[in-house]
Structure formats: C-alpha cells, structure tokens
C-alpha cells in the first residue's frame, strides 16, 4: 500500500471520528437543553403553587368566593403543567415516582380546600348568606315576638 493511500485512509478515519464526536456532542447538547426546560418547568410549578397558597390565604382572610374559583383555575393549571412535566421526564428516562406522589398530594390538598370552601359557603360567607342568615332571621323574629309579648304584658299590667 502506498503512502498516499495510507494518508487518505487516515484522513477518512479522522473525518469519521470527528463526525462521531460531533454527533455525540449534539446529542448531549440536545439532552441538556431538554433538562434545562425541565428546570424551567419546575420553576413554573413553584409559581403556580405559590399562587394557590395566596388564593387560599385570600379566601380565608376575605371570605370572597372569587378566590375559590381562582384556586380551582390554578389547580387545573398546576395539574396540566405537572402532567406535561411527567411526560417529558419519562421521555428523558428520569424517575417519575416522586412526580406521581406530588400529583396525589396536590389532589388531596385541592379536595381539602374545596371542601373547606364549600363548608364556609354552606355556613355563609357573610351575615346575609346561608345558615347564618337563617339564624339571624330567626333571632330577629324571636326578638320581635319577645317584644310583642313584653308589650302585651305591660299593657295588661302584669
């Protein structure tokens, strides 16, 4: 074999090796980019979770049902992002067991807070609503009846 042929074969092997290194680097960069997007998704989930907490605190402080609907909207957004996050994590070959636990915990939290909100709505968020309003109306009626009886007794001279 001539030196020229040896040089050509070595050059071809070098080109193939460089292409293999480039393919491996491109693959690694693509995977790192996907992992970076996952990191951004975790930050988005944290923001939604903080908004859920704010909705909860605002409802408890102000007793305004609009915060219940905001809470439900944020729960839906959180669940959607978490489902997307889980699918992308699985495609990257990452562990998804913890994500499933977070989803279960979120469902329990959302159900608990929804039950609390429904309970407050049943009792009445203001004095004009629900059970509290009925109790107030009965108390006013009883007070009027008592005043009528006392006036009647006073007129009769008892």
């Amino acid at each position: 074999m001539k030196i020229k042929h040896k040089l050509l074969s070595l050059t071809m092997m070098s080109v193939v090796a460089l292409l293999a290194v480039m393919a491996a680097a491109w693959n690694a960069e693509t995977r790192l980019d996907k992992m970076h997007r996952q990191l951004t998704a975790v930050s988005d989930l944290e923001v939604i979770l903080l908004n859920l907490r704010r909705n909860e605190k605002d409802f408890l402080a102000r007793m305004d049902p609009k915060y219940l609907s905001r809470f439900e909207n944020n729960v839906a957004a959180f669940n959607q992002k978490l489902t997307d996050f889980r699918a992308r994590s699985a495609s990257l070959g990452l562990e998804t067991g913890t994500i499933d636990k977070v989803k279960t915990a979120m469902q329990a939290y959302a159900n608990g807070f929804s039950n609390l909100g429904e309970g407050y709505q049943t009792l009445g968020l203001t004095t004009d609503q629900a059970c509290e309003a009925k109790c107030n109306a009965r108390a006013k009626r009883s007070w009027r009846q008592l005043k009528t009886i006392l006036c009647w007794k006073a007129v009769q001279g008892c």
Side-chain angles (χ1 to χ4, degrees):
M1 190 173 230
K2 294 184 179 180
I3 294 179
K4 181 179 179 181
H5 292 269
K6 288 182 181 179
L7 242 113
L8 282 175
S9 64
L10 285 174
T11 304
M12 290 303 283
M13 286 175 45
S14 298
V15 168
V16 169
L18 281 174
L19 288 175
V21 168
M22 282 177 47
W26 180 78
N27 189 22
E29 193 273 328
T30 302
R31 186 169 169 84
L32 283 173
D33 185 51
K34 289 179 182 178
M35 286 185 176
H36 180 70
R37 279 191 241 133
Q38 288 294 85
L39 186 60
T40 304
V42 169
S43 297
D44 293 344
L45 287 168
E46 288 174 355
V47 169
I48 294 173
L49 191 61
L50 290 173
N51 282 330
L52 285 169
R53 188 71 182 114
R54 182 189 319 153
N55 296 146
E56 178 187 356
K57 289 169 69 177
D58 286 343
F59 173 76
L60 293 173
R62 295 180 179 93
M63 292 297 170
D64 191 344
K66 74 179 179 183
Y67 296 110
L68 290 174
S69 62
R70 287 182 185 176
F71 182 86
E72 293 299 324
N73 292 340
N74 280 329
V75 167
F78 184 88
N79 285 334
Q80 180 60 44
K81 284 210 179 268
L82 191 65
T83 301
D84 294 344
F85 180 76
R86 187 189 185 289
R88 287 192 310 264
S89 294
S91 72
L92 288 171
L94 301 175
E95 173 63 34
T96 58
T98 304
I99 298 170
D100 295 333
K101 290 178 185 176
V102 169
K103 187 170 184 121
T104 303
M106 175 53 72
Q107 288 171 342
Y109 170 59
N111 290 338
F113 185 70
S114 294
N115 291 339
L116 178 73
E118 289 171 10
Y120 272 115
Q121 286 179 323
T122 301
L123 290 175
L125 297 174
T126 64
T127 56
D128 300 338
Q129 295 178 342
C131 292
E132 191 173 340
K134 291 177 187 175
C135 291
N136 286 339
R138 287 181 184 151
K140 287 179 184 177
R141 199 171 339 134
S142 297
W143 182 248
R144 280 192 299 256
Q145 289 173 349
L146 181 62
K147 283 171 57 176
T148 304
I149 291 171
L150 290 175
C151 288
W152 181 253
K153 296 273 185 184
V155 169
Q156 287 183 346
C158 294

